[in-house]
Amino acid sequence: MNLINRSIQYALSAETGNTDSVVVGVYGKSDNLEINGTLTIVADDLDEGTTFDDLSKKQLFALATKKLPTLLPTLAYTNYQFFVQNDTPVRLTAYSDLSNNGSYISLSSTLDQSDFTDKAIESVGYEDVKSAVKTILSQEFPTS
């Protein structure tokens, strides 16, 4: 998935004027996933001896996207809806979100019968949807 940088916000210390954290807006879309998020980068995410002011927009975006594979498995699945054609479910869209220590992610995943190998799409449940989305995420955002 091609991710783009939608925004960068710097949080400055009122006492020192130094950058305390940076919030990076991330967006991406593939055939069956759409992700929109804001990821907070804190000093612990930086290499030792590096400050936020040492980093370019490109480097800050790289730090934000590096966090995605560890955050995505913790998404909460809020709901899913079927799309029906001729009284038969043909696909479904699952909606997920995450709020974790200043990072916020929303994800919509469009699934069809090919994502459910052992049961018909009309009989899938919450755990089936969750598992299918997890499989797609692990392919799009490998952790290694």
Side-chain angles (χ1 to χ4, degrees):
M1 170 182 295
N2 185 33
L3 297 172
I4 62 169
N5 184 345
R6 285 242 169 122
S7 64
I8 293 181
Q9 292 179 295
Y10 293 84
L12 304 176
S13 166
E15 295 153 5
T16 66
N18 294 331
T19 305
D20 287 337
S21 64
V22 175
V23 178
V24 180
V26 176
Y27 176 80
K29 187 172 182 171
S30 66
D31 290 341
N32 51 359
L33 294 177
E34 184 171 4
I35 189 167
N36 198 357
T38 56
L39 301 159
T40 300
I41 308 301
V42 296
D44 287 346
D45 296 322
L46 305 179
D47 290 336
E48 190 174 328
T50 303
T51 69
F52 288 106
D53 299 327
D54 297 328
L55 302 174
S56 68
K57 290 187 311 184
K58 192 178 213 177
Q59 291 167 312
L60 291 168
F61 181 68
L63 285 171
T65 57
K66 184 179 175 183
K67 284 185 136 183
L68 272 176
T70 57
L71 291 173
L72 291 172
T74 64
L75 287 167
Y77 294 83
T78 54
N79 64 8
Y80 59 95
Q81 66 184 36
F82 285 96
F83 293 89
V84 178
Q85 187 174 25
N86 298 324
D87 292 329
T88 304
V90 292
R91 70 181 185 278
L92 65 88
T93 300
Y95 301 96
S96 318
D97 58 42
L98 166 80
S99 176
N100 180 326
N101 295 328
S103 292
Y104 305 94
I105 299 171
S106 64
L107 174 75
S108 65
S109 313
T110 302
L111 310 169
D112 61 23
Q113 184 61 61
S114 67
D115 296 300
F116 306 101
T117 55
D118 28 341
K119 55 172 72 170
I121 194 168
E122 60 267 11
S123 65
V124 300
Y126 175 79
E127 291 300 322
D128 301 311
V129 171
K130 192 174 168 182
S131 177
V133 172
K134 185 177 181 178
T135 298
I136 294 168
L137 287 173
S138 68
Q139 294 166 351
E140 288 284 348
F141 301 98
T143 55
S144 57

